[in-house]
Amino acid sequence: MSDIIQLLPDHVANQIAAGEVVQRPASVVKELLENAIDAGATSITLLLKDAGKTLVQVIDNGKGMSTTDARLCFERHATSKIKNAEDLFNLNTKGFRGEALASIAAIAHVELKTKQENEELGTCIKIEGSNVVSQDVTSTPKGTSLAVKNLFYNIPARRNFLKSDTVETRHIIDEFQRVALAHPNIAFVLHHNNNEVYNLKSSNLKKRIVSIFGNKTNEKLVPVDEHTDIISIKGFVAKPEFAKKKRGEQFFFVNDRFIKSSYLNHAVNSAFEGLLEQGSHPTYFIYFEVPPNTIDINIHPTKTEVKFDNEKALYAIIRATVKHSLGQYNVAPVLDFNRDATLDTPYDFKNKPSVSTPKIIVDPTFNPFKNETLDKNPVQTEKPRTSSTKTYQSNFKKDTGSWESLYANLKTESFSSTNTQEELFESEKETETGKTFQVQKKYILSTIKSGVVLIHQTLAHQRVLYEEYLEHITVKEANSQQLLFPINISFSTTDIEMITGMKADLESAGFVFNEITRDTVVIGGIPTSISESQITLILEQLLDDIKLEVPDASFSHFDVMAKSFAKSLAIKTGTVLSGKEQETLVNNLFSCKEPSVSPLGKPTFKTLTLQEIDTIFSK
């Protein structure tokens, strides 16, 4: 029998490796930015076209490469970062495996220009699908320029799996932000389709955070700083009142490398215990410095998941550090050992006899109305209190039986039964309106021929609004109402970029934009179906949904817009509905094309037949 195992050709092996290293354009951005940082660059420019699908180019002023290094860097496992296996446990660089450039060159058109400082001319290499097309001498500035064009051109199936430009741009910006936050001392510039998105100057950490997430971030931040033998912690956490419903702005950096750690995230959340509303998540930018030999960063291809030697100790230190910062800056209540002496009891009063509490004597038999018939003359009511009190007492005692006789024939069993019923229905008052009942301000119970139907009022209203908005946006012409005074809303640079990309779709929905600047949106008109106070909520919800890739399975932004509008404007749990409102909601729900599920796929109602109800009580 012949041999069947054979070695794969290099270009095939590189394409397979690219499946792990290069998942989308953002993966290319991450690798190229980290290479520029490892090269000692102080200024890095990132150029994008079509969300990186057409072009990803990184230009840096680092030390550059020689002609031999420029050719060798595209070979598999070629690296200048490590020499032997022991170096893996003492890493001070971003990359080290030597797979990135080889993988990228296998699935794209790559053009490299590089020059070292002491050289007069540099090197230009062009590669297409692992094949070197040309290698020439060129005139280029000091540093390296690497352009990756037509990503996945030779793997069309992989290219088809890429998301919309908006989603892919969001991933690229996420990677850009992580690298820029880790290195505030390096200047970064980002251009997308010839539009400048970021221009970050070299600065300190706080200024870098503010320049990325907007000027409003400055007032939210509380500094964190702690140094121990096993870890040094610095950074910022946001005040509890600025917590968000989504896990968005949460950043951990270890030795200037962005990481994800649910374990350490739990430590931060526990420090905020008692300060956040249910379902809210804190914002934080926390930087760790640990000895390189106490961390393993080679357990995941993207190097975002790491393993610490002493995780339990780090957990305790992080939790205590964040809790201390919140207390130190009067964000959380703490024990105040600096007692204000002016609030103490004066010394002269400490030995004074205690003041006696006045005694109040109440006469339980006093009846102020008993003597009304006797005192026909109002002037005669001004009698000495002692005599009138005696009169009232004697008269009240004589007729005590008259009012007690009213309850003489009342049976004990009847009273206790009535009382029990009152307690039952007082504690669970349902809103009864014909055929509908509102239960716990959350559900609507309606009777049908075969039994009853229990409707979730929020999810049902979401379905009704979703179909209405989708019809108005896609079929009917959306109507706008002009605002008397245009509204200015501040957003981060990232959000502005997303709003700019969706501007045409938002205008189709009824929004009117007077102006869009680098950090502000001026709105002059809104859809007639929403109110002025809801604009910010709706836009923030829409941006969050796009960041979480809600539109992946949608045919356009219109669908995710309709979902976001419905989710933002639907009635919430706890809202009391009148009888007419309940009936209208039920009728509108069952007039929908898909009444059984909400826009996000959750069931809107549950039907209980008479047989099912009988089964419950027959057990």
Side-chain angles (χ1 to χ4, degrees):
M1 187 174 180
S2 60
D3 299 330
I4 59 174
I5 296 178
Q6 59 183 355
L7 292 174
L8 288 174
D10 285 343
H11 71 280
V12 177
N14 286 339
Q15 287 187 359
I16 295 173
E20 291 186 357
V21 179
V22 184
Q23 300 174 353
R24 59 200 334 153
S27 306
V28 177
V29 170
K30 176 181 182 294
E31 298 292 348
L32 299 188
L33 289 177
E34 290 182 348
N35 283 344
I37 293 171
D38 286 340
T42 59
S43 177
I44 301 175
T45 300
L46 173 60
L47 306 177
L48 303 172
K49 285 188 178 178
D50 302 326
K53 300 173 184 175
T54 303
L55 172 68
V56 174
Q57 184 175 6
V58 173
I59 305 170
D60 68 67
N61 63 348
K63 57 187 177 183
M65 291 182 282
S66 65
T67 302
T68 304
D69 288 345
R71 179 66 183 84
L72 192 59
C73 71
F74 291 102
E75 298 295 329
R76 288 190 72 197
H77 308 307
T79 178
S80 62
K81 314 299 173 58
I82 60 176
K83 303 295 183 184
N84 50 53
E86 285 74 20
D87 292 340
L88 287 173
F89 303 100
N90 192 27
L91 290 170
N92 295 293
T93 57
K94 301 291 185 183
F96 51 87
R97 289 196 295 256
E99 294 176 307
L101 292 183
S103 300
I104 293 170
I107 54 174
H109 297 158
V110 177
E111 181 180 356
L112 170 69
K113 293 182 180 180
T114 183
K115 185 177 83 73
Q116 293 178 320
E117 189 172 11
N118 55 355
E119 298 291 337
E120 292 185 2
L121 295 174
T123 304
C124 178
I125 299 178
K126 295 182 180 179
I127 300 177
E128 296 180 359
S130 296
N131 298 319
V132 178
V133 176
S134 65
Q135 179 173 339
D136 301 308
V137 176
T138 186
S139 175
T140 184
K142 174 218 168 187
T144 301
S145 171
L146 189 60
V148 179
K149 305 174 184 177
N150 306 320
L151 193 63
F152 299 124
Y153 81 98
N154 53 354
I155 313 179
R158 191 69 178 273
R159 188 177 180 90
N160 291 336
F161 273 99
L162 294 178
K163 310 302 180 185
S164 65
D165 283 1
T166 303
V167 174
E168 294 299 340
T169 302
R170 176 68 232 174
H171 283 285
I172 290 175
I173 290 179
D174 283 344
E175 294 292 351
F176 179 85
Q177 288 179 349
R178 292 166 182 174
V179 175
L181 287 170
H183 300 275
N185 58 317
I186 300 177
F188 289 91
V189 177
L190 170 59
H191 289 265
H192 185 213
N193 292 339
N194 299 321
N195 295 322
E196 184 179 273
V197 181
Y198 286 107
N199 190 345
L200 308 175
K201 308 296 184 184
S202 176
S203 61
N204 58 33
L205 178 56
K206 188 172 186 179
K207 289 182 179 179
R208 175 57 55 90
I209 294 173
V210 171
S211 62
I212 291 177
F213 295 100
N215 293 329
K216 292 193 300 182
T217 311
N218 192 33
E219 65 185 63
K220 305 177 184 179
L221 301 179
V222 175
V224 174
D225 193 12
E226 186 63 51
H227 301 278
T228 68
D229 293 337
I230 62 175
I231 187 173
S232 294
I233 304 174
K234 64 177 182 179
F236 298 90
V237 295
K239 298 175 183 177
E241 59 263 32
F242 297 105
K244 298 189 174 182
K245 297 295 183 183
K246 309 290 182 182
R247 296 178 185 267
E249 299 166 3
Q250 296 183 336
F251 296 89
F252 282 128
F253 298 91
V254 174
N255 297 350
D256 294 334
R257 182 191 300 275
F258 172 79
I259 66 164
K260 296 178 181 178
S261 174
S262 58
Y263 185 68
L264 299 183
N265 177 70
H266 188 274
V268 177
N269 285 337
S270 63
F272 278 86
E273 188 175 1
L275 300 176
L276 299 178
E277 295 181 2
Q278 184 70 24
S280 297
H281 303 281
T283 296
Y284 55 79
F285 308 87
I286 299 180
Y287 296 73
F288 309 133
E289 289 290 336
V290 299
N293 59 354
T294 63
I295 182 175
D296 184 2
I297 60 177
N298 197 30
I299 64 174
H300 193 273
T302 62
K303 301 187 285 290
T304 56
E305 297 179 14
V306 299
K307 180 67 176 175
F308 296 95
D309 283 352
N310 44 6
E311 278 191 330
K312 291 186 178 180
L314 297 182
Y315 182 100
I317 294 173
I318 293 168
R319 182 179 182 277
T321 301
V322 174
K323 205 171 187 66
H324 174 71
S325 293
L326 294 175
Q328 185 179 10
Y329 290 90
N330 298 324
V331 177
V334 294
L335 290 175
D336 186 10
F337 295 102
N338 299 320
R339 189 182 70 250
D340 188 352
T342 60
L343 299 179
D344 292 343
T345 303
Y347 180 78
D348 293 341
F349 285 87
K350 288 183 178 180
N351 298 323
K352 293 273 185 180
S354 58
V355 180
S356 59
T357 305
K359 295 182 179 179
I360 301 176
I361 301 175
V362 179
D363 183 3
T365 61
F366 175 69
N367 185 353
F369 305 103
K370 187 62 183 174
N371 213 28
E372 277 187 353
T373 55
L374 300 178
D375 299 331
K376 295 181 179 180
N377 188 355
V379 180
Q380 295 179 358
T381 60
E382 298 295 333
K383 296 180 179 180
R385 185 170 183 82
T386 54
S387 60
S388 64
T389 302
K390 291 179 180 178
T391 304
Y392 290 146
Q393 288 177 352
S394 60
N395 291 335
F396 186 77
K397 287 179 181 178
K398 289 178 182 178
D399 295 339
T400 300
S402 61
W403 62 267
E404 289 179 343
S405 63
L406 297 174
Y407 300 92
N409 297 324
L410 189 62
K411 293 184 179 180
T412 306
E413 292 82 8
S414 175
F415 178 78
S416 60
S417 173
T418 306
N419 191 40
T420 304
Q421 292 178 11
E422 287 181 0
E423 289 180 357
L424 176 63
F425 290 101
E426 281 294 325
S427 60
E428 297 289 343
K429 282 188 177 180
E430 315 300 344
T431 308
E432 180 180 353
T433 56
K435 293 185 177 181
T436 62
F437 304 82
Q438 189 179 20
V439 183
Q440 293 290 339
K441 304 177 185 178
K442 184 176 183 179
Y443 301 101
I444 296 176
L445 186 67
S446 179
T447 58
I448 54 178
K449 290 183 179 179
S450 60
V452 295
V453 58
L454 190 63
I455 302 169
H456 193 295
Q457 66 183 38
T458 301
L459 299 179
H461 198 211
Q462 286 181 8
R463 164 53 63 178
V464 172
L465 293 177
Y466 167 72
E467 294 197 4
E468 287 180 359
Y469 287 130
L470 198 59
E471 182 181 11
H472 279 289
I473 295 173
T474 57
V475 180
K476 300 179 181 179
E477 184 177 354
N479 296 321
S480 297
Q481 52 180 333
Q482 296 298 313
L483 299 176
L484 183 60
F485 301 102
I487 298 177
N488 293 351
I489 306 176
S490 297
F491 290 101
S492 66
T493 308
T494 307
D495 292 341
I496 292 293
E497 178 73 9
M498 295 174 65
I499 291 174
T500 303
M502 297 185 297
K503 181 182 177 185
D505 292 343
L506 287 169
E507 288 176 339
S508 299
F511 284 91
V512 177
F513 296 94
N514 292 357
E515 184 182 7
I516 299 179
T517 64
R518 289 181 60 88
D519 58 359
T520 306
V521 173
V522 182
I523 298 177
I526 58 176
T528 54
S529 55
I530 67 175
S531 64
E532 188 173 332
S533 61
Q534 296 170 323
I535 299 175
T536 303
L537 174 65
I538 288 176
L539 291 179
E540 288 180 349
Q541 181 69 59
L542 177 60
L543 293 172
D544 283 338
D545 287 342
I546 292 178
K547 292 173 186 176
L548 295 175
E549 297 191 23
V550 171
D552 281 0
S554 305
F555 56 88
S556 72
H557 281 145
F558 294 140
D559 188 54
V560 70
M561 285 167 55
K563 288 178 180 177
S564 294
F565 291 174
K567 190 161 56 174
S568 301
L569 302 178
I571 55 176
K572 303 298 187 289
T573 297
T575 303
V576 178
L577 300 179
S578 66
K580 186 66 175 176
E581 291 170 336
Q582 294 174 39
E583 293 177 3
T584 301
L585 179 57
V586 172
N587 293 333
N588 289 342
L589 174 64
F590 290 102
S591 298
C592 292
K593 296 178 181 178
E594 296 288 343
S596 59
V597 293
S598 73
L600 298 180
K602 296 180 180 179
T604 58
F605 65 87
K606 172 68 176 176
T607 302
L608 288 175
T609 63
L610 289 176
Q611 290 81 1
E612 291 174 327
I613 298 174
D614 291 339
T615 302
I616 296 174
F617 294 101
S618 63
K619 293 181 179 179

